[in-house]
Amino acid sequence: QVQLVESGGGLVQAGGSLRLSCEASGRSFTSYAMGWFRQAPGKEREFVAGISWSGGSTDYAAAVKGRFTISRDNAKNTVYLQMNRLKAEDTAVYYCAAGFYYSDYVAKEYDHWGQGTQVTVSS
């Protein structure tokens, strides 16, 4: 069992940067691949990025590839999402999730979710 708490969201101008953090509680953090998803108003939750349990493999949605970087620090039980060159269309609630496979784009395949953190990008 793992509990997830996101932080780092906020309001930023287009072209700016934010770094999201997701801290996990429990001893099983390294058993999980981790993902970041986002959900904008009126839209379905969508995959943003995923990382394997070791951090050696990552995957990104096409919309964020080259702008966002996912990483994890297993010693700190934390996964990060560095977001650069932000756009208005990146505005959403961002969620971290723990699952089995880092490249799984389907939200229901993830076992544990955080409460989400709001990211708002002004244009």
Side-chain angles (χ1 to χ4, degrees):
Q1 187 78 1
V2 61
Q3 293 183 330
L4 306 172
V5 179
E6 301 97 335
S7 62
L11 174 65
V12 64
Q13 289 187 336
S17 298
L18 281 175
R19 188 176 82 154
L20 305 183
S21 299
C22 172
E23 185 171 358
S25 62
R27 296 185 177 183
S28 58
F29 180 67
T30 54
S31 299
Y32 292 96
M34 297 297 296
W36 284 97
F37 284 74
R38 66 186 181 186
Q39 188 166 18
K43 295 187 176 182
E44 292 188 356
R45 194 169 297 191
E46 64 175 359
F47 176 86
V48 174
I51 189 166
S52 61
W53 70 269
S54 67
S57 298
T58 58
D59 194 12
Y60 297 92
V64 307
K65 192 172 292 185
R67 299 188 297 122
F68 291 11
T69 302
I70 188 171
S71 61
R72 66 190 294 166
D73 184 339
N74 287 340
K76 295 182 179 180
N77 279 10
T78 302
V79 62
Y80 304 97
L81 185 68
Q82 178 67 44
M83 306 186 294
N84 298 329
R85 305 198 309 275
L86 283 160
K87 305 176 182 180
E89 50 263 44
D90 295 319
T91 295
V93 177
Y94 283 70
Y95 300 89
C96 70
F100 178 74
Y101 185 52
Y102 74 95
S103 193
D104 202 326
Y105 284 48
V106 180
K108 68 178 183 179
E109 297 298 323
Y110 288 77
D111 301 313
H112 306 285
W113 291 84
Q115 83 289 350
T117 185
Q118 177 71 46
V119 171
T120 303
V121 184
S122 63
S123 57

